[in-house]
Amino acid sequence: MKKAWTGAQIRQSFIDFFITRGHTFVPSSSLVPGGDQTLLFTNAGMVQFKDVFLGTDIRPYKRAVNSQKCMRVAGKHNDLDDVGRDDIHHTFFEMLGNWSFGDYYKKEAIAWAWELLTGVWGIDKASLWTTCFKDDKGDIPTDEEAAENWRKQPGINLEHILYFGRKENFWEMADTGPCGPCSEIHVDRGLEFCDRQDVPGHVCKVNGDCHRFVEIWNLVFIQYNRLSLTDLQPLPATHVDTGMGLDRIVSIMQGVNSNYRTDLLMPLIETVQRLTKDSDAQRDLNFTPYRVIADHTRACTFLIADGVVPGNIGRNYVCRMIIRRASRFGLKLGLKEPFLAQVAATVIDHYGDAYPELKRNRATILDNLTREEKRFQRTVDAGLGYLDELLAVLKSQNTGVLDGRLAFNLYATLGLPFELTRDVAREQGLEVDEAGFRKAMELHRLASGAGKAFGALGGEDVDIYRNIVQNLVNQNKLGHSGVAYDPYSTLEVEGRVLAIVKDGVSVQDAEEGDRVEIILPKTCFYVESGGQVSDTGTITSYAGSGWEVQVEDTRRPAAGAIVHIGVVVRGQPQVDDPVVAQVDAGRRRDIMRNHTATHLLHAELHAILGDHARQAGSLVAPDRLRFDFTHPEAVTPEQLEQIEAGVNRDILGNHRLKIVVKPLQQAISEGAMALFGEKYGEMVRTISIGDQDPFSYELCGGTHVRETGDIGLFLITSEGSAAAGVRRIEAVTGRGAYELVQKRMRSLKQAAGLLSSQLEDLPAKTQSLLDELERERKQSFKLRQALVAAEFGQLLDSTPSVKGVPVLAAVLQNADSETLRQMCDRFRQKFSSGVVVLGSAVEGHPVLIAAVTDDLIKRGILASEIVKTIAQVVGGSGGGRPNLAQAGGKDPTRLQEAIDQVIPLVEKKL
Ligand code: ATP
Ligand code: MG
């Protein structure tokens, strides 16, 4: 081993090594895969090049080198189980890769790998092992070409070249598609790394079960296209795709026994240690919590920087889960206060140069972590306590598995993510039913109307579209990149129908009333992307007697394929018919206004709320726009007013939009805002607004107005919460704004008409009417009570006596409880001995009041008792003192019935 390299130097030397060999450096794409909804997170370097291998995307380079941010915490690649337990698997890691797209192949890939590892980095040749593909099923040829190339490497130990079967050494992207054999490079770290010495019969070996051999690099040679389970065709062009985990190579080159002891992760461990005040020895004895916290904090720091904030489903759930998991491991170390922000600050300090998005989002990252920890801390004690009880019950019943529904309840009510419940259960030797948890979560989401929780989208038959495009390319009816797409320069194109798809199959013609998908050689219809909805319009043909399809939607079912979806409203479309495709121009202009307004809104949010207010999703439709952004609290009415005013000022400034296509790197370094979940190619479209000194600069493939003045008017219609830490603004522009103003003006005018007032005087006039109404209400109340008093006077005069005692029981109309009480007082003034019980419906609710003179209380007649008994009739209850009591109820129609019970009741007591 030569001098100690830093992790950053190792990353850079990998990149430089391949740049010197003709490779183009391609920056890491986001952890949120662009344009691929089947994948939760980018999990390998090849994700951003998938379409290149599929032959549907072409790049200006044939050799590339990159260091890709990866997450393996969900789906097919889920390493969460190993994280914290071993020293080589992380949830987040960087994958170094070199790529050949139909250029060099095994010879160069192998020679360069060997040269870099042994020559540049000085790794001991004797410690390196390599594996080649030999089919365990005997169907696919052995990769002798790779083995032959390995044998040629200077100083290689020929006995270190091994063969393995499909599981280890054959790589496939999916059930069908590009695939091929691979060669892995493993390092023998020495006997002291074996953790199974005490297992009888254990032998250390490559791809074995101990920690002595570590896989560091995988070289994949893509040379076949799998058409079916049994049909493997050679590809016309062959490719190289490699992946090396940065943490692993760094730990080897730095001669440390764990990825966590490299200069990439050790600073995070040390930050935690400063907080726990553990000695080094204490730390090493209890290393698992340290590992988990370091790993998870690095992961969520990168996630939040890529726009994934903690939440309840999908990616957001994962973010929440790893934060809470780290927080719980903090509890195990005695860290009871939020602390992850301090660890994240170390991540940002160490990774910020290589990944500037971390620095840019520093405040958002730290803030989100602390908030989420606080949210978790509110329920964690209760949650863990309850979980312990559940587990104790299981153990007493000798049951090994916790019901998934219970695990879901723990999550839904006490905030314990499934993975955390499972940690705790496993620590006690129990398991949790994962399928049951997911089912309960799914049911809950469906019941709450929120849609699928874990939906792998897609699942439709991409193949038919891929085949259609492939055939059309082969017949030279389409270029290699498929249907030409230009929604920017025109709203009308001509061409011939290339294909018609009906009910999922390619057909030659269709009938009136059919729902079809039509493929043309080029289109000006926008395909939904970046929040902007698809265009609608018509496709018409003068072939035969003519036909027309009403286009309701467009989509891109496979790379290179764009289909117009709609219904045949007239005639019989046929493949090859000449057509004119026209976008609904009015609708499209509405969309363009809303899209440009979205950019203005984004800029104003930054100006007024701060840079943390980043886009977290958007919808650009013809009738409205919706914009979600990260912001921890509600936007105040004053801020909303400022934002709305700002956007309208930008509109009146009538700025010309500058739309320029330029290299991604350049745009990013100029400060253009890249959006969450978007996929960017080598060349990107940039939109800047604001003459000399642009106040808005975004990467965007959407369609926009020429000048901001075209937007007309911008009105915010609502502000609210979209998810934890995410706010949502909805707004209208142009026609929609005009219609809104018109609607509101009409109501105002109507109101003014009714009040015989000028518009401007409406508030004052309304206020004075309200005042007048209030005065009238008081007056009428007084009158009503006077009427009640008069009515009561008559009743008082004819009070019946029961066994010589005056007892007055009556229902009074329209009396409130205050009046009823006054009437009781009048009764007591008139009779020194007696019982009065009055009832009335006050605003639809029955009220009963009883009063008893003191002498009768001594004889056992209690107002509280009377009220309690008769209130049952009206479905209520009540109480009070023996001389005065009151009750309410539910059913005012039975008041008389209740009052009728009074005399018999009193009679019994006397
Ligand atoms: P392993 O068998 O060790 O899990 P893998 O076969 O899943 O590795 P690949 O999919 O071939 O790995 O990925 C290429 C390289 O990425 C690996 O050789 C390794 O260096 C690195 N790598 C893979 N998974 C992880 C992980 N969870 N954490 C860190 N590095 C990883
Ligand atoms: Mg793996």
Side-chain angles (χ1 to χ4, degrees):
M1 221 73 44
K2 283 205 236 157
K3 68 182 161 89
W5 298 58
T6 67
Q9 283 169 339
I10 295 170
R11 183 197 294 118
Q12 195 56 48
S13 67
F14 180 92
I15 294 168
D16 292 342
F17 179 86
F18 286 100
I19 288 181
T20 335
R21 283 155 187 81
H23 293 61
T24 299
F25 173 69
V26 179
S28 173
S29 62
S30 166
L31 282 169
V32 179
D36 187 345
Q37 286 162 315
T38 59
L39 199 59
L40 211 52
F41 295 111
T42 300
N43 55 15
M46 61 81 52
V47 170
Q48 68 163 319
F49 298 119
K50 205 162 141 181
D51 289 344
V52 184
F53 290 131
L54 288 169
T56 48
D57 184 8
I58 295 163
R59 300 289 172 98
Y61 42 75
K62 291 191 144 175
R63 299 176 180 191
V65 55
N66 70 346
S67 171
Q68 174 65 45
K69 300 184 274 190
C70 296
M71 279 283 282
R72 290 193 173 182
V73 61
K76 185 174 161 222
H77 281 292
N78 188 343
D79 289 343
L80 189 68
D81 263 358
D82 290 321
V83 175
R85 296 189 191 199
D86 75 13
D87 287 288
I88 59 168
H89 282 95
H90 306 296
T91 53
F92 168 91
F93 64 99
E94 292 168 85
M95 196 187 280
L96 303 170
N98 57 294
W99 309 83
S100 157
F101 305 118
D103 191 42
Y104 66 82
Y105 205 40
K106 293 175 193 173
K107 177 164 165 264
E108 294 86 346
I110 289 173
W112 285 335
W114 188 257
E115 183 187 347
L116 176 62
L117 292 172
T118 62
V120 181
W121 286 345
I123 294 175
D124 180 11
K125 292 176 183 168
S127 73
L128 292 174
W129 291 66
T130 169
T131 62
C132 300
F133 173 67
K134 181 175 197 164
D135 193 3
D136 34 341
K137 296 201 178 140
D139 293 338
I140 311 171
T142 301
D143 193 1
E144 280 308 339
E145 188 186 349
E148 198 44 53
N149 276 298
W150 281 116
R151 283 184 210 116
K152 285 188 197 145
Q153 300 314 312
I156 196 167
N157 181 339
L158 296 182
E159 284 169 12
H160 286 189
I161 303 170
L162 308 175
Y163 291 94
F164 281 90
R166 293 193 187 192
K167 183 168 151 276
E168 271 83 22
N169 282 55
F170 197 82
W171 181 89
E172 311 205 37
M173 184 149 69
D175 295 342
T176 56
C179 55
C182 58
S183 261
E184 291 182 340
I185 301 166
H186 297 250
V187 177
D188 178 358
R189 306 224 62 192
L191 195 58
E192 67 270 28
F193 277 79
C194 173
D195 52 337
R196 296 176 72 86
Q197 284 299 304
D198 49 353
V199 178
H202 170 75
V203 184
C204 303
K205 57 184 181 210
V206 167
N207 287 328
D209 54 359
C210 74
H211 289 159
R212 175 167 164 185
F213 289 90
V214 177
E215 175 197 328
I216 54 164
W217 200 352
N218 192 357
L219 317 183
V220 182
F221 307 117
I222 299 176
Q223 66 184 79
Y224 301 112
N225 185 16
R226 185 180 278 291
L227 298 177
S228 72
L229 209 59
T230 48
D231 193 0
L232 212 54
Q233 297 288 327
L235 280 175
T238 54
H239 317 281
V240 175
D241 151 2
T242 85
M244 167 154 60
L246 178 66
D247 303 279
R248 291 192 191 177
I249 184 67
V250 172
S251 90
I252 288 174
M253 288 179 62
Q254 294 181 347
V256 290
N257 66 6
S258 159
N259 286 4
Y260 293 95
R261 297 186 195 271
T262 62
D263 71 331
L264 296 173
L265 283 164
M266 196 60 193
L268 314 191
I269 301 268
E270 283 164 355
T271 303
V272 180
Q273 197 181 348
R274 262 200 304 284
L275 298 170
T276 60
K277 304 194 172 63
D278 274 351
S279 68
D280 289 359
Q282 285 170 322
R283 177 198 70 199
D284 292 350
L285 267 177
N286 195 14
F287 206 39
T288 293
Y290 281 93
R291 288 193 281 218
V292 174
I293 294 168
D295 174 88
H296 286 15
T297 312
R298 180 172 71 169
C300 50
T301 302
F302 274 89
L303 270 183
I304 298 170
D306 275 351
V308 183
V309 293
N312 275 333
I313 55 163
R315 299 179 179 118
N316 307 86
Y317 171 82
V318 173
C319 183
R320 163 160 292 168
M321 182 272 287
I322 56 177
I323 294 174
R324 293 187 173 199
R325 201 162 180 258
S327 171
R328 171 166 174 270
F329 276 91
L331 287 178
K332 290 182 159 222
L333 294 177
L335 300 174
K336 297 207 166 63
E337 295 300 314
F339 68 100
L340 294 177
Q342 298 181 58
V343 188
T346 310
V347 178
I348 299 169
D349 292 345
H350 280 78
Y351 282 88
D353 286 337
Y355 298 96
E357 64 270 29
L358 298 180
K359 288 195 212 163
R360 273 202 304 276
N361 295 297
R362 187 185 183 95
T364 310
I365 293 168
L366 304 185
D367 181 55
N368 264 291
L369 285 174
T370 306
R371 273 169 191 280
E372 181 61 18
E373 280 176 283
K374 284 190 180 150
R375 258 194 299 262
F376 182 48
Q377 283 175 350
R378 270 189 267 187
T379 56
V380 63
D381 284 343
L384 291 175
Y386 180 47
L387 176 56
D388 273 339
E389 284 169 27
L390 290 176
L391 296 177
V393 172
L394 284 190
K395 278 192 270 189
S396 73
Q397 296 170 339
N398 272 331
T399 314
V401 183
L402 178 69
D403 190 315
R405 279 169 308 183
L406 292 177
F408 175 72
N409 280 344
L410 273 167
Y411 174 57
T413 57
L414 294 166
L416 288 193
F418 169 80
E419 291 77 356
L420 214 153
T421 299
R422 188 175 57 186
D423 286 342
V424 179
R426 282 184 179 168
E427 285 161 14
Q428 307 191 20
L430 299 162
E431 265 301 327
V432 189
D433 164 27
E434 180 164 2
F437 174 87
R438 286 182 184 261
K439 203 168 133 206
M441 184 149 177
E442 202 74 65
L443 283 176
H444 172 79
R445 305 239 344 130
L446 290 176
S448 64
K452 272 194 164 307
F454 302 94
L457 304 164
E460 64 168 340
D461 197 0
V462 179
D463 282 346
I464 85 146
Y465 300 96
R466 209 182 278 153
N467 290 342
I468 291 174
V469 170
Q470 199 57 54
N471 285 337
L472 291 168
V473 171
N474 293 346
Q475 295 165 35
N476 281 327
K477 289 187 176 164
L478 270 182
H480 274 280
S481 47
V483 175
Y485 181 55
D486 176 14
Y488 309 116
S489 53
T490 170
L491 293 176
E492 184 179 316
V493 290
E494 290 179 11
R496 280 179 186 273
V497 174
L498 291 180
I500 302 174
V501 176
K502 200 180 113 181
D503 299 329
V505 276
S506 177
V507 294
Q508 284 304 304
D509 44 38
E511 299 297 321
E512 197 172 306
D514 284 350
R515 203 176 162 73
V516 292
E517 294 179 316
I518 293 189
I519 299 183
L520 303 175
K522 61 182 175 201
T523 187
C524 54
F525 279 64
Y526 189 78
V527 180
E528 176 173 344
S529 136
Q532 179 177 334
V533 300
S534 291
D535 280 330
T536 62
T538 55
I539 298 178
T540 43
S541 173
Y542 299 101
S545 56
W547 55 264
E548 180 176 326
V549 168
Q550 199 75 43
V551 179
E552 296 160 0
D553 198 2
T554 60
R555 64 184 187 119
R556 203 190 294 265
I562 294 176
V563 297
H564 304 83
I565 307 166
V567 175
V568 183
V569 291
R570 183 163 60 81
Q572 285 104 25
Q574 279 199 1
V575 170
D576 238 19
D577 283 349
V579 298
V580 181
Q582 274 175 308
V583 171
D584 177 340
R587 179 176 178 276
R588 163 66 95 72
R589 284 196 196 98
D590 292 337
I591 293 174
M592 301 202 300
R593 287 189 198 96
N594 280 336
H595 204 149
T596 309
T598 302
H599 287 211
L600 299 180
L601 173 61
H602 196 182
E604 289 302 332
L605 287 173
H606 277 219
I608 286 156
L609 302 180
D611 281 344
H612 65 277
R614 298 197 314 139
Q615 172 159 4
S618 79
L619 170 74
V620 178
D623 56 335
R624 75 206 149 105
L625 66 93
R626 190 175 75 204
F627 193 79
D628 294 349
F629 54 97
T630 48
H631 185 59
E633 65 225 350
V635 185
T636 66
E638 296 73 34
Q639 288 170 329
L640 274 183
E641 216 165 271
Q642 285 175 13
I643 292 164
E644 190 181 83
V647 172
N648 282 300
R649 202 170 39 242
D650 299 338
I651 291 172
L652 291 177
N654 205 22
H655 307 282
R656 185 66 173 267
L657 271 69
K658 211 162 108 202
I659 302 183
V660 183
V661 174
K662 57 175 75 164
L664 176 64
Q665 265 313 79
Q666 185 191 342
I668 296 284
S669 63
E670 288 168 357
M673 256 185 290
L675 296 190
F676 176 69
E678 273 314 307
K679 176 173 176 158
Y680 298 106
E682 198 48 30
M683 297 296 284
V684 291
R685 201 160 163 269
T686 64
I687 318 269
S688 61
I689 313 176
D691 312 311
Q692 271 89 39
D693 185 18
F695 53 84
S696 163
Y697 188 17
E698 299 198 17
L699 303 188
C700 177
T703 62
H704 288 270
V705 299
R706 276 163 62 90
E707 281 140 3
T708 57
D710 297 343
I711 297 170
L713 176 63
F714 169 89
L715 294 175
I716 293 176
T717 52
S718 74
E719 192 276 342
S721 162
V726 179
R727 306 298 300 178
R728 167 171 295 175
I729 283 183
E730 293 197 306
V732 289
T733 70
R735 270 210 282 196
Y738 175 69
E739 276 162 20
L740 183 67
V741 170
Q742 212 182 19
K743 200 169 99 195
R744 290 185 175 167
M745 282 304 286
R746 215 178 287 133
S747 306
L748 277 178
K749 280 184 195 153
Q750 231 171 1
L754 288 171
L755 299 184
S756 317
S757 145
Q758 297 295 320
L759 273 190
E760 293 71 24
D761 303 335
L762 209 45
K765 181 92 186 191
T766 309
Q767 188 59 55
S768 88
L769 277 174
L770 283 174
D771 293 346
E772 192 179 328
L773 191 63
E774 184 58 25
R775 278 197 304 277
E776 289 299 327
R777 221 179 250 145
K778 281 187 184 142
Q779 188 64 26
S780 103
F781 181 74
K782 268 192 214 149
L783 286 173
R784 245 186 1 246
Q785 301 319 304
L787 278 176
V788 170
E791 188 191 345
F792 183 74
Q794 283 172 3
L795 287 172
L796 202 57
D797 289 343
S798 52
T799 302
S801 81
V802 177
K803 293 189 182 166
V805 175
V807 179
L808 176 51
V811 176
L812 298 178
Q813 303 300 328
N814 286 323
D816 68 345
S817 40
E818 178 55 35
T819 309
L820 291 181
R821 228 168 288 136
Q822 282 170 14
M823 297 306 113
C824 288
D825 287 344
R826 269 177 69 186
F827 177 90
R828 282 189 289 197
Q829 277 157 21
K830 175 160 178 170
F831 299 106
S832 53
S833 172
V835 177
V836 58
V837 183
L838 301 174
S840 184
V842 180
E843 285 166 2
H845 298 290
V847 175
L848 291 162
I849 288 185
V852 175
T853 52
D854 290 344
D855 60 320
L856 294 177
I857 295 174
K858 291 190 196 111
R859 293 171 64 184
I861 302 179
L862 308 176
S864 45
E865 220 166 73
I866 296 175
V867 149
K868 206 164 159 187
T869 311
I870 64 170
Q872 288 169 7
V873 179
V874 290
S877 63
R881 287 173 283 126
N883 60 347
L884 184 68
Q886 177 173 345
K890 296 187 188 90
D891 186 358
T893 62
R894 299 184 64 189
L895 265 174
Q896 188 60 51
E897 211 180 304
I899 290 293
D900 287 345
Q901 294 198 348
V902 174
I903 292 192
L905 209 65
V906 175
E907 201 163 22
K908 244 198 292 175
K909 293 266 175 187
L910 286 171

